[in-house]
Amino acid sequence: MNHAEEVLELAQDLIRFDTSNAPDQTDGGLTGHETAVAEHLADFLSGAGVECELVARESHRANLVARIRGEATGPSLAFVGHTDVVPTQGHGWTHPPFEAVVDDAGYLHGRGALDMKGELAARAVALAALAREGFRPRGDLWFLAVADEEDGTADVGMRWLLENRPDIRPDIAVNEGGGELLRLADGRSLLTVSVGEKGTLPARVTALGEAGHASRPNLGVNAVPALARLLERLGRGMPVQASSPWLEEALRVILTEVPADLETALAQAAALHPSLTTALPPMSGTTMAPTMLAASEVRNVIPDRAWAELDCRLLPGTTRSDVEATLRARLGDDVPYELSWPEPIVPGSSSSPASDLMAAVTAFARRQDPDLVVLPLLDSGFTDSVHLRATAGTVAYGINPYLHTPSSVLTTGVHNVDERVHVDDLTLSVDFHSFLAHQLLGRITP
């Protein structure tokens, strides 16, 4: 079986395991039942001679730790991925989300095809191929397939794994988050690489009023209209445009000449590709999107409290005090409210765009197209690379090249219906990860 057949078969196998990280009525908790995928990957890799171990805090949510041991003198590299997926009700899909159908155009459909069982399969096949060829790296080559990335509150995945396994400290890691091919309006092509992720800090804004009977709206003070006024001041939750090191670096790559005025620079970048319209502005500062609402529990009671939760995403280095100051400045002081924090801050982090890993990524990109330029970005989302950097000081990038899956399919498919990836990108990913291993760890002939 060649790599193309092997990676497609494995990706289909993984998609057919329903590891939705969603409420489970049987035990009342968030659960992805990821152990089945971890076991399947362990069987596959063990068959190629790769050392495998299941490590679990909860038996049904195991993480897979696999490794090709290297010489102590070299750097270590980790291929990283998560085995859970976001839930889907199955409504509106062209093909059922857990049947892993390949259509006539060559797309593999299914929940996790992009996020991220397709990538996980490619990384596993690359590791197996390296083991079969007798690859002996200068440093350890790890494969980490972890649970509970999509939610994280169960704390059974990467953060817990690194805390309990101090031997897992890779110097370099490749994870999800980049690899989108942007064909610009001026004819140039860029390949995105996520060099970091924003942090998270959920905030709850509670408008304060006075309860009363809903049949007499002029009694009491309804907190719902008050909350509406506060939310109007937040708008969609975008930051005030300001420069940041990550935004400056991206604009230097995108624009041949960067205007001094940031608004003009962002407009010029947006005109080159639709994805840049949404990818660049969050790199200006804290976003605070309103996503959850609640007020009275019964229809006939005017609520004295109404709240909204905000999904705040923070640049690396931003503190809770910074977020609070930004929020209070926007909300004003003429509408009574309380501000609280449902969860602790998870700081953002980034790795330097100047590294051996970036050099290797660039070399692979140029092999595909000599004119292809690598674009470092700060991801507005969240990945487990945050835990790798915090615990091990890992140089961690989000990168998996998608040269056959259009940008529009990537951006609209993740966490959405009809998630799909072109099968040629699965094979390309196997080649990419094998290339990285040889470039970064070197080869020692047995």
Side-chain angles (χ1 to χ4, degrees):
M1 184 183 297
N2 59 39
H3 289 168
E5 295 170 335
E6 190 171 40
V7 70
L8 175 57
E9 181 178 298
L10 183 57
Q12 288 178 302
D13 289 345
L14 300 187
I15 289 171
R16 287 167 183 153
F17 290 103
D18 183 352
T19 53
S20 298
N21 202 341
D24 188 320
Q25 301 303 316
T26 61
D27 61 23
L30 285 169
T31 175
H33 295 284
E34 298 97 329
T35 294
V37 169
E39 290 174 339
H40 191 82
L41 286 167
D43 289 343
F44 171 78
L45 290 169
S46 296
V50 177
E51 172 188 328
C52 294
E53 179 185 3
L54 295 186
V55 184
R57 185 176 190 176
E58 297 179 9
S59 61
H60 65 296
R61 310 203 68 180
N63 306 287
L64 171 62
V65 175
R67 172 167 50 168
I68 298 177
R69 292 182 181 268
E71 303 292 332
T73 56
S76 55
L77 169 65
F79 295 159
V80 179
H82 62 84
T83 53
D84 61 327
V85 297
V86 295
T88 173
Q89 299 302 316
H91 303 306
W93 286 72
T94 302
H95 303 284
F98 297 107
E99 288 191 7
V101 172
V102 177
D103 66 20
D104 292 339
Y107 285 93
L108 170 63
H109 290 246
R111 177 57 82 226
L114 290 170
D115 185 18
M116 61 171 299
K117 289 178 176 177
E119 288 187 28
L120 201 59
R123 288 172 177 144
V125 170
L127 190 70
L130 290 165
R132 293 185 195 117
E133 72 182 37
F135 180 65
R136 292 180 58 201
R138 291 184 294 123
D140 287 345
L141 177 56
W142 296 91
F143 176 83
L144 306 177
V146 300
D148 195 32
E149 189 273 349
E150 293 291 2
D151 179 75
T153 56
D155 196 25
V156 296
M158 183 67 82
R159 195 214 67 80
W160 174 85
L161 178 66
L162 293 174
E163 181 181 88
N164 288 273
R165 288 293 300 269
D167 59 312
I168 304 174
R169 296 292 184 268
D171 299 305
I172 307 166
V174 285
N175 196 1
E176 63 179 338
E180 181 180 359
L181 177 63
L182 305 180
R183 299 194 183 279
L184 304 186
D186 62 8
R188 292 178 297 138
S189 294
L190 306 179
L191 183 69
T192 65
V193 178
S194 172
V195 297
E197 292 81 26
K198 298 183 79 174
T200 63
L201 177 62
R204 177 177 288 192
V205 179
T206 303
L208 306 177
E210 182 180 345
H213 198 292
S215 66
R216 297 186 179 184
N218 57 344
L219 285 176
V221 179
N222 195 329
V224 171
L227 179 63
R229 291 175 64 191
L230 294 172
L231 291 178
E232 185 177 11
R233 296 170 185 179
L234 293 176
R236 298 173 68 182
M238 291 300 295
V240 176
Q241 288 183 355
S243 187
S244 73
W246 304 275
L247 183 54
E248 291 175 3
E249 177 67 22
L251 288 172
R252 279 195 292 268
V253 174
I254 296 165
L255 301 177
T256 52
E257 293 185 14
V258 182
D261 179 66
L262 180 59
E263 185 176 355
T264 301
L266 289 171
Q268 289 182 3
L272 291 172
H273 197 280
S275 285
L276 299 175
T277 306
T278 55
L280 297 181
M283 295 164 64
S284 294
T286 299
T287 57
M288 43 190 71
T291 56
M292 299 173 68
L293 294 166
S296 179
E297 295 183 358
V298 291
R299 187 178 298 112
N300 63 350
V301 174
I302 289 176
D304 62 348
R305 302 171 76 85
W307 60 261
E309 281 200 8
L310 313 179
D311 184 358
C312 299
R313 303 295 176 118
L314 334 171
L315 294 177
T318 303
T319 66
R320 197 184 89 169
S321 296
D322 296 330
V323 178
E324 181 171 353
T326 300
L327 261 176
R328 292 195 184 279
R330 286 205 184 187
L331 294 173
D333 56 10
D334 59 324
V335 177
Y337 72 89
E338 291 178 350
L339 192 59
S340 57
W341 313 96
E343 297 174 17
I345 189 171
V346 178
S349 67
S350 66
S351 299
S352 171
S355 67
D356 291 341
L357 176 55
M358 187 64 79
V361 170
T362 301
F364 183 84
R366 296 288 170 81
R367 283 191 170 197
Q368 312 310 307
D369 178 353
D371 297 322
L372 189 56
V373 176
V374 171
L375 171 63
L377 294 175
L378 184 72
D379 200 321
S380 58
F382 177 87
T383 78
D384 280 328
S385 292
V386 167
H387 300 306
L388 285 163
R389 295 190 196 99
T391 304
T394 305
V395 175
Y397 291 169
I399 173 64
N400 185 75
Y402 292 97
L403 303 186
H404 306 279
T405 306
S407 172
S408 59
V409 174
L410 290 174
T411 54
T412 61
V414 174
H415 293 196
N416 204 349
V417 299
D418 286 347
E419 181 179 353
R420 62 196 185 276
V421 63
H422 199 281
V423 296
D424 288 347
D425 278 330
L426 297 177
T427 308
L428 179 69
S429 181
V430 175
D431 295 339
F432 170 68
H433 289 89
S434 296
F435 180 84
L436 288 186
H438 284 288
Q439 287 285 110
L440 296 169
L441 302 190
R443 179 168 183 167
I444 300 173
T445 305

